[in-house]
Amino acid sequence: MTFKLHRRRFLTGAAIASTSALAGCFDPLLSNDAQVRGVLEKANDLTYRAQRLLLGSDNLAREFAASEIRQPMRPNGLTDPQDEDYRTLAANGFTDYRLKIDGAVERPMSFSLEQLRNMPSRTQITRHDCVEGWSCIAKWTGTPLGGVLDQVGVTSAARYAVFSCFDTLENGFAGPIKYYESIDLHDARHPQTILAYGMNDQALPVSNGAPLRVRVERQLGYKMAKYISAITLTDRLDSFGEGGGGYWEDRGYEWFAGI
Ligand SMILES: Nc1nc2c(c(=O)[nH]1)N[C@H]1C(S)=C(S)[C@@H](COP(=O)(O)O)O[C@H]1N2
Ligand SMILES: [Mo]
């Protein structure tokens, strides 16, 4: 209890630091001001390190009983990618889908859904919290990301796993801007971090990220990339998107979205 109170107070402090920067003078979605970004990044870094410390390394997110499943698992964000490569795969029931894993790995590999389904699986009933303020409880089945990483052999240089997604969120001057996300290797190897291909005992529906989405149970919904096409291991995030580590992070959200 004391610990909880302390934790909450501490995090509120960090949150206030970042909101006051936000409220004071700019709209994070429009601003490109480097100084402002700097303030945000510092606050973010503080929250990240504080939460990492307080969450502990291997604590599990709460798991629920089947009777507690709360539906619908409201689809959010992009729910029906129109990208041609994605549509082609979907039309074929994703039989030609391959998850590519590359970057700082000893053996770049790609995996079919069949191969992923034949790897050790884990099922967990967890709550999904969206930053918009709603939550659902659903049952997820997938293979732990840690085991997949072991197969490709992550090199010691790697610090992050970056998820590339099929879905285009906007059309920028330089071309389509696709959803992407990243987590550190700590979260990547957390026992509840799974590459999910099943939801509520069914194949993962398109609206919730078919054929493969990641579950990162101790963080907010936007960290849980849907429609994953590739996972890249890297020591730095600045060569992806705008460098913030994710589509929403590039637009002002915090990279570490612990709950
Ligand atoms: N590829 C991709 N992944 C995504 C999004 C998205 O738009 N595209 N939205 C995110 C957000 S904000 C949330 S809350 C969850 C929603 O997951 P759901 O559709 O299964 O509810 O997916 C996250 N992952
Ligand atoms: Mo979200």
Side-chain angles (χ1 to χ4, degrees):
M1 189 59 180
T2 344
F3 174 73
K4 262 202 175 141
L5 273 178
H6 175 73
R7 179 185 163 202
R8 175 174 296 177
R9 223 179 18 234
F10 192 83
L11 296 180
T12 312
I16 287 171
S18 63
T19 13
S20 51
L22 292 181
C25 48
F26 79 110
D27 178 345
L29 297 177
L30 299 175
S31 174
N32 282 320
D33 189 88
Q35 226 178 339
V36 163
R37 272 199 83 92
V39 172
L40 257 185
E41 275 155 21
K42 274 207 196 100
N44 189 12
D45 191 45
L46 172 69
T47 345
Y48 169 49
R49 280 181 294 147
Q51 295 203 21
R52 184 45 87 229
L53 204 72
L54 291 162
L55 280 176
S57 49
D58 296 320
N59 293 354
L60 297 184
R62 180 168 167 204
E63 295 193 14
F64 296 80
S67 60
E68 293 173 290
I69 291 177
R70 205 164 68 225
Q71 291 295 303
M73 180 61 213
R74 176 178 143 169
N76 198 41
L78 225 288
T79 54
D80 192 16
Q82 293 305 311
D83 303 75
E84 209 180 306
D85 48 354
Y86 183 82
R87 299 251 50 106
T88 308
L89 291 172
N92 244 338
F94 298 107
T95 44
D96 300 322
Y97 171 80
R98 297 289 180 276
L99 167 70
K100 287 185 280 295
I101 307 195
D102 58 13
V105 297
E106 279 151 17
R107 300 170 289 279
M109 282 171 83
S110 59
F111 298 87
S112 67
L113 273 184
E114 170 90 6
Q115 285 173 312
L116 293 167
R117 284 200 202 97
N118 284 330
M119 288 170 71
S121 82
R122 181 183 164 98
T123 294
Q124 58 206 28
I125 302 177
T126 51
R127 197 183 68 211
H128 178 104
D129 295 311
C130 175
V131 69
E132 292 166 357
W134 53 267
S135 63
C136 297
I137 296 176
K139 183 183 197 177
W140 301 100
T141 301
T143 190
L145 176 55
V148 180
L149 294 182
D150 288 341
Q151 292 211 19
V152 296
V154 175
T155 70
S156 56
R159 293 183 59 200
Y160 308 100
V162 179
F163 303 92
S164 300
C165 305
F166 285 105
D167 53 323
T168 297
L169 278 271
E170 314 168 20
N171 280 300
F173 290 117
I177 300 178
K178 291 182 178 252
Y179 202 89
Y180 79 104
E181 253 306 338
S182 60
I183 56 178
D184 63 15
L185 286 186
H186 217 94
D187 268 322
R189 293 194 174 280
H190 184 272
Q192 286 170 320
T193 299
I194 59 174
L195 295 174
Y197 44 73
M199 192 187 90
N200 297 332
D201 298 318
Q202 307 286 317
L204 185 66
V206 165
S207 54
N208 298 100
L212 202 66
R213 70 104 49 93
V214 68
R215 298 294 310 165
V216 189
E217 303 294 358
R218 300 183 305 172
Q219 298 207 42
L220 287 171
Y222 63 86
K223 298 300 292 184
M224 313 217 201
K226 307 194 280 187
Y227 317 116
I228 298 173
S229 58
I231 303 177
T232 304
L233 281 296
T234 178
D235 62 336
R236 51 198 301 170
L237 297 173
D238 52 11
S239 53
F240 300 86
E242 303 276 313
Y247 175 81
W248 285 114
E249 288 85 336
D250 286 341
R251 285 151 188 79
Y253 283 31
E254 295 201 346
W255 178 76
F256 191 75
I259 43 175

